Amino acid sequence: MYPSTDNVAHPADINAAANEPNAYKPAKPKRQESDIKSFRANEPVLYEEKTTVPSAPSRLIFIGDIHGCVEYFNKLLETVEFKQGSDQVVLVGDLVAKGPDSLGVVNKARSIGAWGTRGNHDDRVVRWGDFLQGPGKGLSESDLESLQSSGDLPYDDFEIGGDHYNIASTMPACDFAYLARFPTMIVLPAPYDEWAVAHGGIVPTKPIAQQDPDDVMTMRNIGPDGPSSKKDEGEAWFDVWAEKIGPLGGNGTSVESSSADSTGEEKEEAEDEEKEQTNRKRQTSSSLDTIQFKKVIYGHDAGRDLQIHDFTKGLDSRCVYGGKLTAFILPGEQVVSIDCGEDYTSGGGDNRRRRDMMIRRAQTLQKNGEKQNALLLARNIKLYF
């Protein structure tokens, strides 16, 4: 889907983007019809190294796939007693689609300054948004339906009137720019530098700068032919990761775990030496290619539900399907889950409740003076129902 993976963000560029709300630039409009089929959206930043984390006693609160379930997102924040300005929320991707209020989730995430990685559903919304601001700008739904019928839309997974189209066409520009800036991977700094975040997974045999963004967003397994989104090909990527103990670096070296025969003191010394080596590499490197880490926090794999292992933490616990929404908290590695209760993918009564929730949110926005956002959500309700 994306032609190259050379778009590695330098920390200086990342900081500049963070300080410039309008730094994200959508693809330039292309009015020629011949350009529509060949259009390709802006690629996601492959990975981002965070240079600051909240100081003690603050926490990093990682949250699994929300999929538009803003009610449960808010409930989980309350349950973990999130304190804005002190705690840092990190979302593993798929904020949008399937659930009742994707716009509300993105707006809430932006309002609390959440970090996030791009999920495959987020990616489709961003690609739609880029297209609608590019060669698709000004085209009517009838025009777009004609392009879909003739097979001339730029991506095979584009569907007129589908969730992703509706979200992209109604999302406020500030929220869209926020979502579009999500990288496919986040690497955390000390004291959490043994952790990285991705939506789908990370191939343990590749340096971080050589990962493919599509694989990072969609993989569930690793088979003979490489990463796969299918669970019946090869073995679970996190099992492969555990076998390799996961660290990646541009020089191909690995941070090995201590021998089982080592004494406690020897293990402690070995761990200290590992940290010193990693810190030296970070300080002397002019790029991010020598980043090394052991543990990955991810989402995406709802079929396997919550997966908590030594080196990987899979947080997609099926909220949008009526399962749970899960947070993983550092320090302490605490896991907190809340019941979601509603399967928003089954239709029927759930769809009626979904519509009612969206109407209530539109009413709240209107009362708060956010008339434009209320109108956008009202349009979304009309498109959905």
Side-chain angles (χ1 to χ4, degrees), residues 12-21 23 48 50 181:
D13 298 330
I14 295 164
N15 292 337
N19 294 324
E20 177 52 62
E48 179 177 331
K50 293 296 184 181
R181 284 196 295 266

Side-chain angles (χ1 to χ4, degrees), residues 2 20 52 66 79 91 116 123 130 134 160 167 189 222 273-274 291 301 305 344 360:
Y2 296 108
E20 177 52 62
T52 59
I66 302 172
T79 301
L91 306 174
D123 183 64
D130 271 357
I160 307 302
I167 294 165
I222 296 179
E273 177 60 24
E274 285 176 2
I291 290 172
D301 203 349
D305 212 328
Y344 290 108
R360 288 198 299 273

